[in-house]
Amino acid sequence: NEPQLMVSHIPIRILTLVYLIIGVLFAFYTPLWQTPDEPAHYHYIAQLASGKIPKIEAGDWDSAYLDGLKGEKFANIDTEAFATIQYEDHQPPLYYLLATPVYGLTNGNPHAIRVFSVLLGTIIVWCAYGVGRLIFPQSPHIALGLAGFIAFQPQHLHIIASINNDVLAWGWVSIMLVLSVSYIKTGNSRLILFMGFVMGLAFFTKATAYFLLAIGLLAIFIRREKLFSSAIRFLSPALVLGIIWWVWNIIVYGFPDFLGLRAHDAVVVGQLRTAERIEAIGLGGYISEFIQTTYNSFWGQFGWMAVPMPNWIYLMILAGIIMAILGWIWHVREEKVAQGIWILLIGTTILSVIAYLYYNSEFVQYQGRYMFPLLIPVGLFLVLGIDGWRKIIFGKIQNQLAPYLTAIPFLSLALLDIYLLWRVIVPNL
């Protein structure tokens, strides 16, 4: 019996349109190749389009050459040498296969493939909205704020509007969260099979999405209905698809390299390792650098980590996080959410952080984007925190539009994106 205004999908449709417009602007105006690993991802697609099956091998990585290109802002590219940047050839193929027709239809136009990635990102925005509606069906402003955060978080948008398989991996994460939350709430056993297929497709997309296996099993455990048969139903399609990819890798790279990561590590010689960095600057210096760079790059550090945002933006974001924490303390007393759903969201966050720490235990890769699988849980926490302040300040206002004040800080990130594109990204990359 919600008021008609509160169930209208017009706000999310408008948000999606704005996201697409700003995403396309990022895709066209961010200088080419000035997002992490973009040349290597592009050349994976180019190989598929030419009929070649990518395989990582010696010569795919030249650290000195790549550093030289970055230093020159990719101004002087030798086409033949540039085409040898192929150190992502060990990656699962699904994103690249989907992008190959775009490559073929546009004669390899990289801007077109970026726009394709932006379109894929719509899945993440819609799923964020879906998670919010599932958890808080009587509070569509929560879902709108969450969708706004996902759509306009600066670093997230910067990566989405590039040639990168992250966008599809994050898409599977968001779909899995929608299915898992829905399953916990309804117990609809048909959802388990869909969860299994999503897991299998994640196996074919990127290793950073493998933690979804634990998320699916956690949702089944939380629901506690026919645990064994439900787990089998979930794992069967996932493992069938996964085994196909793993067997292929073993054929190509040999046992036991079923992910191709050993072959990758053998090729990317010269990539800075964590032990070397600690030896150079000390443990304290490393921890300080790790925390600062992780925070900055989570919110916005553009190009190949070369262009941070102005300091005042990081400080404003930090102030907003502190306010959200205080507001959440208020809000958590007001909202009733099933404990199992909180466990699922917290589990997603913890697993994302653990995967990030594990990756950085070997290589110096403190790029906040590697934790973006936790964006929906973190975004929901922030939205609830701001909604707590909305209730404190405007709680007595009896107006259907009043709750939508919660979404304004997150929707206003769109204006920040425009500012960052024209005043930070374009002039400095």
Side-chain angles (χ1 to χ4, degrees):
N1 296 321
E2 297 175 352
Q4 185 62 35
L5 177 63
M6 301 295 280
V7 299
S8 171
H9 295 305
I10 292 176
I12 186 60
R13 291 170 182 164
I14 295 174
L15 184 153
T16 302
L17 179 61
V18 174
Y19 156 77
L20 290 172
I21 292 172
I22 298 178
V24 169
L25 288 174
F26 266 69
F28 276 93
Y29 285 98
T30 300
L32 277 179
W33 320 122
Q34 287 283 24
T35 55
D37 307 315
E38 189 170 51
H41 290 296
Y42 176 83
H43 291 137
Y44 193 125
I45 300 168
Q47 290 174 84
L48 289 176
S50 67
K52 179 181 177 181
I53 299 176
K55 173 187 176 183
I56 193 164
E57 52 196 353
D60 288 347
W61 163 268
D62 186 333
S63 179
Y65 174 63
L66 191 58
D67 288 343
L69 286 175
K70 289 187 284 186
E72 297 176 351
K73 298 184 178 179
F74 294 87
N76 300 301
I77 294 178
D78 179 280
T79 304
E80 185 175 344
F82 187 66
T84 66
I85 302 175
Q86 298 179 5
Y87 58 85
E88 297 290 356
D89 282 1
H90 67 295
Q91 294 278 5
L94 187 54
Y95 168 81
Y96 310 99
L97 287 169
L98 294 175
T100 298
V102 180
Y103 181 100
L105 291 171
T106 62
N107 196 28
N109 188 317
H111 292 106
I113 303 173
R114 283 180 169 184
V115 171
F116 166 73
S117 293
V118 171
L119 293 174
L120 284 180
T122 307
I123 297 171
I124 310 172
V125 176
W126 287 347
C127 286
Y129 183 76
V131 168
R133 290 305 304 267
L134 282 167
I135 299 176
F136 300 102
Q138 303 299 320
S139 304
H141 58 283
I142 298 292
L144 187 66
L146 178 56
F149 174 75
I150 296 300
F152 304 124
Q153 201 269 20
Q155 186 70 21
H156 191 233
L157 185 60
H158 179 61
I159 300 299
I160 282 178
S162 70
I163 304 170
N164 196 307
N165 62 349
D166 279 335
V167 63
L168 187 59
W170 299 336
W172 298 131
V173 172
S174 64
I175 293 171
M176 180 67 84
L177 285 175
V178 169
L179 294 173
S180 297
V181 170
S182 182
Y183 174 66
I184 290 172
K185 291 196 68 172
T186 67
N188 185 344
S189 60
R190 289 179 297 179
L191 294 172
I192 297 174
L193 195 61
F194 289 114
M195 291 160 59
F197 277 112
V198 167
M199 185 67 253
L201 294 171
F203 285 143
F204 262 89
T205 302
K206 194 161 189 173
T208 53
Y210 278 31
F211 81 100
L212 289 180
L213 191 67
I215 298 303
L217 292 173
L218 179 59
I220 290 169
F221 180 78
I222 290 170
R223 185 68 195 188
R224 293 180 181 272
E225 291 183 1
K226 301 178 180 179
L227 284 176
F228 182 76
S229 62
S230 295
I232 294 299
R233 191 179 302 117
F234 169 67
L235 291 172
S236 295
L239 293 179
V240 166
L241 291 172
I243 287 171
I244 295 171
W245 174 240
W246 301 329
V247 169
W248 169 259
N249 277 330
I250 290 172
I251 293 171
V252 173
Y253 300 115
F255 184 82
D257 196 9
F258 69 101
L259 294 178
L261 293 179
R262 289 190 178 187
H264 171 266
D265 292 349
V267 168
V268 294
V269 177
Q271 187 172 350
L272 184 60
R273 295 181 180 267
T274 301
E276 297 170 350
R277 191 59 178 163
I278 293 175
E279 183 178 353
I281 64 175
L283 181 60
Y286 172 80
I287 292 174
S288 176
E289 182 180 75
F290 176 88
I291 293 172
Q292 184 67 63
T293 308
T294 296
Y295 174 78
N296 287 359
S297 61
F298 184 90
W299 296 104
Q301 189 160 331
F302 308 112
W304 294 66
M305 298 284 288
V307 179
M309 297 188 294
N311 284 332
W312 63 267
I313 297 179
Y314 294 118
L315 292 174
M316 285 186 61
I317 291 172
L318 181 59
I321 293 171
I322 294 172
M323 285 192 63
I325 292 172
L326 297 175
W328 187 83
I329 293 172
W330 169 272
H331 196 286
V332 76
R333 299 181 307 181
E334 300 291 322
E335 294 288 351
K336 304 298 181 183
V337 179
Q339 183 181 24
I341 291 176
W342 282 126
I343 292 173
L344 183 79
L345 297 176
I346 293 170
T348 301
T349 303
I350 291 174
L351 288 169
S352 298
V353 172
I354 290 174
Y356 179 70
L357 294 175
Y358 175 77
Y359 188 30
N360 276 277
S361 67
E362 183 176 4
F363 294 103
V364 176
Q365 287 289 338
Y366 23 76
Q367 299 182 40
R369 67 186 175 101
Y370 293 134
M371 289 191 291
F372 279 176
L374 57 66
L375 270 188
I376 289 179
V378 167
L380 183 61
F381 165 81
L382 294 174
V383 173
L384 291 176
I386 297 303
D387 196 51
W389 282 104
R390 192 268 306 172
K391 289 183 176 181
I392 294 171
I393 299 172
F394 302 104
K396 294 183 180 180
I397 297 178
Q398 299 297 319
N399 187 300
Q400 289 180 332
L401 288 174
Y404 283 93
L405 294 171
T406 295
I408 290 177
F410 304 97
L411 300 178
S412 64
L413 289 173
L415 299 177
L416 176 62
D417 291 333
I418 295 295
Y419 170 83
L420 290 170
L421 181 61
W422 297 122
R423 298 299 296 273
V424 177
I425 294 173
V426 172
N428 294 293
L429 288 179

